[in-house]
Amino acid sequence: MKKNITAKYKGVIFDLDGVIVHTDKMHYAAWKSLADRLEIPFDEEVNNRLRGVSRTESLEIILERSAQVYSDAQKLRFSEEKNESYLRYLDGLSPHDVSPEVIDTLRLLKGAGLKIAIGSSSKNAKTILKNVGLTDFFDAVSDGTNIEKTKPDPEVFLKAAAMLRLAPSECAVVEDAITGIEAAVRGGFTAIAIGNAASSNKAEFNITSISELQKIILGDIYAE
Ligand code: BG6
Ligand code: MG
């Protein structure tokens, strides 16, 4: 039976890549082409370190294994090359790339009166949301275009919460990046880890499926 008792959460901030859409696989493929061309070893282990961090920082992590030293101009060209191939993958995105589980969960949260936002380091977040048909679903989008500092700095989430006019203590953050979980904790949010981040012990909750949010977020609203 529905009991409208005081809910702990008034908002949920979602990371985008690897949480709402599996663009993390596209980031991987695009970086892998560049790394292969430059003959730099690149695997899933390195890729996990790129989750949540900016394009420029991602390139620096990849170049750690390079035998060569590159100029800033060359690095800029590499970042552009990666983004061009990543954008070609993004062109192929459609609403089918968002799982029914994600859609159902977002609908449930909104239906219960919670505000939902995106908190992503990506400068391509709005393109992704448009291509998968989710632009109008979110009450706010904080992304790589409105931040100075990337995760693990909490800036992107603090800005998302401010856009929702909520305090961090009223919001949960859902993240697949360990850097993102650190950012959420540092910002005073309840951190919920999914995917790669769920193996860390830094989040308040670890989930294997986004539908588990129903219990965590709405558990107190729908409690008997
Ligand atoms: C994050 C991804 O969401 O966005 C990172 O987890 C990525 O892997 C970062 O590097 C920046 O993305 P973009 O689209 O601006 O290159
Ligand atoms: Mg992510």
Side-chain angles (χ1 to χ4, degrees), residues 9 11 18 24 28 40 61 65-66 78 83 85 89-91 99 109 128 136 151 163 173 186 194 198 214 221:
Y9 305 103
D24 50 334
Y28 176 78
I40 301 170
I61 292 170
R65 293 190 178 184
S66 168
F78 294 155
N83 198 48
S85 70
Y89 287 110
L90 296 189
D91 273 348
S99 71
L109 296 174
I128 296 168
D136 296 333
K151 299 166 189 176
M163 288 174 190
V173 165
R186 278 168 58 180
I194 191 165
Q214 291 177 37
I221 297 178

Side-chain angles (χ1 to χ4, degrees), residues 72-185:
D72 287 348
Q74 285 172 308
K75 288 181 189 174
L76 182 63
R77 183 64 212 122
F78 294 155
S79 286
E80 286 168 356
E81 180 183 328
K82 182 267 173 178
N83 198 48
E84 281 156 20
S85 70
Y86 180 59
L87 286 174
R88 285 194 288 277
Y89 287 110
L90 296 189
D91 273 348
L93 281 176
S94 78
H96 295 293
D97 290 294
V98 184
S99 71
E101 204 177 30
V102 167
I103 296 287
D104 289 350
T105 304
L106 295 178
R107 283 210 175 106
L108 244 141
L109 296 174
K110 288 183 74 163
L114 278 99
K115 298 277 181 214
I116 58 169
I118 290 289
S120 165
S121 307
S122 174
K123 293 191 163 128
N124 295 304
K126 292 185 183 85
T127 303
I128 296 168
L129 291 171
K130 179 171 165 277
N131 292 1
V132 300
L134 284 184
T135 306
D136 296 333
F137 235 82
F138 289 91
D139 300 295
V141 176
S142 173
D143 63 19
T145 64
N146 65 252
I147 52 169
E148 306 272 317
K149 288 165 267 170
T150 195
K151 299 166 189 176
D153 190 281
E155 184 184 9
V156 74
F157 297 136
L158 293 173
K159 290 214 163 133
M163 288 174 190
L164 296 178
R165 298 180 188 279
L166 294 175
S169 59
E170 296 174 311
C171 301
V173 165
V174 186
E175 255 294 349
D176 74 318
I178 293 173
T179 50
I181 293 296
E182 281 170 21
V185 171

